[in-house]
Amino acid sequence: MSASAPIIKIDSISKSFGSFKVLDGLSMQVMPGEKLALIGPSGSGKTTILRILMTLERIDGGHIQIDGEQLYHMERNGQLLPADERHLTRMRQKIGMVFQLFNLFPHKCVMDNVTLAPMLTKGTPRAAAEKRAMELLEMVGMADKAKNMPAQLSGGQKQRVAIARALALSPKIMLFDEVTSALDPELVEEVMNVMRKLAAETDMTMLLVTHEMGFAHDFADRVLFFDRGRIVEEGKPDEIFRNPKQERTQGFLKKIIAAGHRV
Amino acid sequence: MSASAPIIKIDSISKSFGSFKVLDGLSMQVMPGEKLALIGPSGSGKTTILRILMTLERIDGGHIQIDGEQLYHMERNGQLLPADERHLTRMRQKIGMVFQLFNLFPHKCVMDNVTLAPMLTKGTPRAAAEKRAMELLEMVGMADKAKNMPAQLSGGQKQRVAIARALALSPKIMLFDEVTSALDPELVEEVMNVMRKLAAETDMTMLLVTHEMGFAHDFADRVLFFDRGRIVEEGKPDEIFRNPKQERTQGFLKKIIAAGHRV
Amino acid sequence: PGSADDSKLEQLKAQGFARLAIANEPPYTAVAADGKVSGAAPDVAREIFKRLGVADVAASISEYGAMIPGLQAGRFDVVTAGLFMKPERCAAVAYSEPVLCDAEAMLVKKGNPKGFKSYEDVAKDTTATIGAPGGGTEEKLALNAGVPRDRVIVVPDGQSGVKMLQDGRIDAYSLPVLSINDLVKKANDPNLEVIAPVQGAPVYCDGAAFKKGDEALRDAFDVELAKMKKSGEFAKIIEPYGFSAAAAMSTSRDKLCAAK
Amino acid sequence: MTQWSGYFGLILQGALVTIELTLMGSVLALIMAFLAGMGRVSRFFALRWLATAYIEFFRGTSIFVQLFWAYFVLPFIGISLTPLQAGVLALGLNVGAYAAEVVRGAIQSIGREQYEACTALNLGRWQGMRHIILPQALLVMLPTFGNNAIELLKATAVVSLISLTDLTFQAQVVRAQTGNTLVPFTTILIIYFILALLISWGVRSLERRMARGLDGVRA
Amino acid sequence: MEWDWNFVWEIMPTLIQGVKITILATLLGSVLAAIVGLGIALARRSPNKALSRTVGWAAEFIRGTPLLVQLYFIFYVLPDIGILLPPLVAGVIGLGLHYGTYTAEVYRAGIDNVPRGQWEAAKACNLSASQTWTHIIIPQAIPPMIPALANYFIAMFKETPLLSAITVLELMNQAKSVANTYYRYIEPITLVGAFFLVISLFSVVLLRWLERRYGKIER
Ligand SMILES: Nc1ncnc2c1ncn2[C@@H]1O[C@H](COP(=O)(O)OP(=O)(O)OP(=O)(O)O)[C@@H](O)[C@H]1O
Ligand SMILES: Nc1ncnc2c1ncn2[C@@H]1O[C@H](COP(=O)(O)OP(=O)(O)OP(=O)(O)O)[C@@H](O)[C@H]1O
Ligand SMILES: [Mg+2]
Ligand SMILES: [Mg+2]
């Protein structure tokens, strides 16, 4: 793996909301196929990184390369210019995202939620899009609900549809932001199972933000611990969870455990 | 403790929402000073019981006695009549409740949130009410924010104020409905600490609904496991969590554990 | 009169009808239950246009306030609505020779309790109020006679005026004689009394009002009008409605437009 | 003596004019509402400015004045409209300005997360608007649109200013010809109310049909 | 027709007289509408079915029919049953009743928008019904309503020309009177539009400020 080039290369990016600096010169790299977990206290900027990769927020400075190409810049005659909408549209094909609150389209049935984007953005014919959608719904165990409206589904089911929807565009990189934290405790497991399967079966690159340490442990090849927009510590799950080196990491994990979460 | 009479005596109550029967002939008793945890799957009726005790919902049948007096009925010449508003007002003095979403009064500062009810319902003079409020805010660690508005507080801080507000009426029974589940994981601990202290220091009767099994374990003298409006199993925390006898309880706890919660 | 003006009449002939603006005020105009338009003013106009070779007229009822702007904006070809000639109006439109003449009247409660004979009488009684159409001749006359603004009530239409008098909201309601007579007939109320004519108030005449610039058409209209006045047909049309042909023939546009 | 049946016929003719005005005015208002409402949330400053100017002008000046201008002033710049056209134009533009704010509000009421889902699925701005945002926003707009249509119905009463023989105008004519106030006005009050009920009933059943299986779209 | 500035200055004092009456009618109408609306909103919440239904239908009727026709009724028909109102009073009552049915909806929404949790917390604090209304619900319900209420009062302002039908000498009536005297229409009517636009633009600024100040309660 070390032989190939990183698929995500973040180079000292910064981002502020108003006068509040969330990210300040952050750099990191992700290898193709890597499964990465981002953990850390609330407000440390985890979500912000995913949203920046999905181009839902703009960066104030720095560079990001996806799959060897600039994300927020275009090269024209050797010069780096700010990206226009067309460039962003092309780059977004490589990236998919699943949200904490699913964000399904409430006025479309499960099937239409999954087929809409391939049909509109790639011009996939309906028949092909529906065939592929069925496979994906099968995979997340939702094939029998293809005609349901989102309002008729439980939270766990909604989230599984959202995963299928994001997969339908076959992105190279998938971003997951606290995909289980809005679910009832009993429904969490079904979504986690789908994601474990996904992680094991595909060579997609995945970034996961979560507060469930046990899940992060099972899912990830590598864990990044964030605090105040900076990477405080990173390493293999076992290292981070069993032997955190930094005081900040230790404190965080202790509090989480005290609050009743298993690591 | 077995010598004294129960402070809450629920006698085969039933409750429906539309055609959906939530509680069907439920009976249970609580001793003075007891700390009770209600656990069970989502929708099993835990919240409904607390809301019925707080008279936020009416029952369709059955009887409830609080502290030796009928809650929803009045005795007149040996006959049981439906309670009128005056009777309910008197009975509510014995009961306080803390909500999942705090429900602080957003247009009043912390101090006024705590003093409002004693001044209005008991006619406590402002000076006395504020003195008592300061003690309570001290206890929940919020004395320094007495002049803040609720919008300026974090979730954990809001919940601690809500606890102080409920305590200000010195009820004999306190009801807590998932008081930590709307909080960021790092803030959960501060509220739990306040409640552990409360449980240890007072002889108030307390009913707690929670999905945090570890917390239920620490907090409660007795745990009730609910499913579909019925008590499936009850016992000391150690019995329930280590050796559940019913299959339903076992299944529930297994799922919760798999989802990453510590027991 | 240039050739451009003559073309207006040709144009009306070609399209086969002329567009009239009329008011909702009997007996100058009347609308029957079947929607058919009659009344003194449109009947005269219909006859003259027929003689000019324009087969028919299309009349639409219009608010007084909308007539002159409509004429100027080319919405109507002519206004025949009982608009009395006055110098300031003569400056705004091109009038034909006089058609319908009428004196001013006042409607009061039975027995004329305040003893009004003229607008000056209304001015003298400091508690009296008088109703009149907004911007109309009667309003102007009352104001000129010294009735203060807040005692001259602007009444939107005849029916409202009668109702307000009956309800005691105003002490007198002033309109041309024939309009008042028609209202009284319809109201069929024995407690009303007509004072006509109002002392000191002049007799006014209306004419068909054309757009400035359509003087050629107006002149053609005048020629036929004069012929009809002479032959007596004019009187035959308007006298059944109560108007006097002699009054119209005894004066002229030039006199009325110059009057002070 | 009074020929009431004939006069009721006149009033019914007026009702037809009122209905015609309401229908055509509503269509124009709807078109303007979407144009200006979406203009208000446009990325382009010029469009936003244009839409804002339209909305503030037509909400700011009274409908009476607008009607007068449409009928009597437009001819001076060479646009001569029939009374019906002028009535429809003024009513449609006026109510359209109010409804445009409804469209804008509904579009903005759709949560940011739906826009973000569109971005994450790589839908273009117009694709997202067309397939995701507008269908949901429409349901939010409908009830207020119903109210706007009733406002328009009531506003048609002012067209008598430009000699359009609508319901109110015919009632005035009947009143002048018969000398009776109570009968014509009671009649048209009832007719107006029935028309208003028809509008709200129609909108409500439309809403029910569109909302089928959509619980959760509206808060 | 040419625009004549001399004429404009000549008629300005008369029009300003009219503006004064217009503003007076709007202010009095607003006060009445605010009170009537509260009455309707409370009556519709009443557990007494007969009361809440009757008031509900009456409000629907008033809202579904044109203000113009209602004004005719109040002014010309009510005297037949012995109720004789001066023009301005009749106008203010018409405006107040008509707009009261709108403000009632604002009150209803304002009260409904106080989250259920606040009612429940009040109960858990053992507050009585009247204490809950005065200390918890009303203080939270009123501020968010202020912009919506102000909005209706501005709309009312623009409907005052209807009062000319019942002989109130407001702005529009003065303008028409002037126009009929001199046969010049463009200037007076355009000035009326300008007056309305100026006052509306001013009130838009006021509204924005009200929205910022009262629009939201931070929770
Ligand atoms: N749109 C925004 N406007 C202002 N501040 C924002 C915005 N989005 C995020 N922030 C702030 O940026 C900081 C980082 O937010 P972010 O959502 O990335 O944190 P996080 O690590 O995902 O936290 P959590 O675990 O609570 O989701 C927080 O302090 C947050 O308040
Ligand atoms: N107002 C209501 N109307 C209709 N159904 C209701 C209402 N309140 C509760 N229910 C239903 O009653 C059942 C029991 O609800 P309750 O809130 O008591 O469950 P719970 O055990 O507290 O669940 P959770 O753990 O999700 O809070 C649920 O199925 C719920 O949908
Ligand atoms: Mg986050
Ligand atoms: Mg619950």
Side-chain angles (χ1 to χ4, degrees), chain A residues 39-42 46 178 181 209-213 252 256 261, chain B residues 185:
Chain A
I39 64 168
S42 185
K46 309 179 296 292
E178 300 200 30
S181 64
V209 170
T210 186
H211 283 290
E212 305 279 357
M213 298 306 141
F252 173 77
I256 289 275
H261 289 264

Side-chain angles (χ1 to χ4, degrees), chain B residues 1-31:
Chain B
M1 220 195 261
S2 58
S4 63
I7 188 164
I8 304 178
K9 210 169 137 190
I10 294 179
D11 192 8
S12 66
I13 57 169
S14 53
K15 169 76 189 167
S16 303
F17 289 110
S19 66
F20 178 64
K21 202 145 204 164
V22 183
L23 304 177
D24 187 7
L26 178 86
S27 300
M28 56 181 270
Q29 304 197 345
V30 187
M31 288 302 181

Side-chain angles (χ1 to χ4, degrees), chain C residues 5 66 134 229 236:
Chain C
D5 287 335
K229 281 180 179 171
K236 228 185 269 167

Side-chain angles (χ1 to χ4, degrees), chain C residues 109 163-170, chain E residues 73-90 93:
Chain C
K109 285 257 173 75
K163 192 74 174 62
M164 289 178 73
L165 182 68
Q166 287 168 331
D167 294 336
R169 282 189 163 119
I170 49 181
Chain E
F73 235 88
I74 295 173
F75 195 67
Y76 295 116
V77 178
L78 284 191
D80 293 345
I81 57 168
I83 303 173
L84 191 71
L85 301 165
L88 189 62
V89 173
I93 288 178

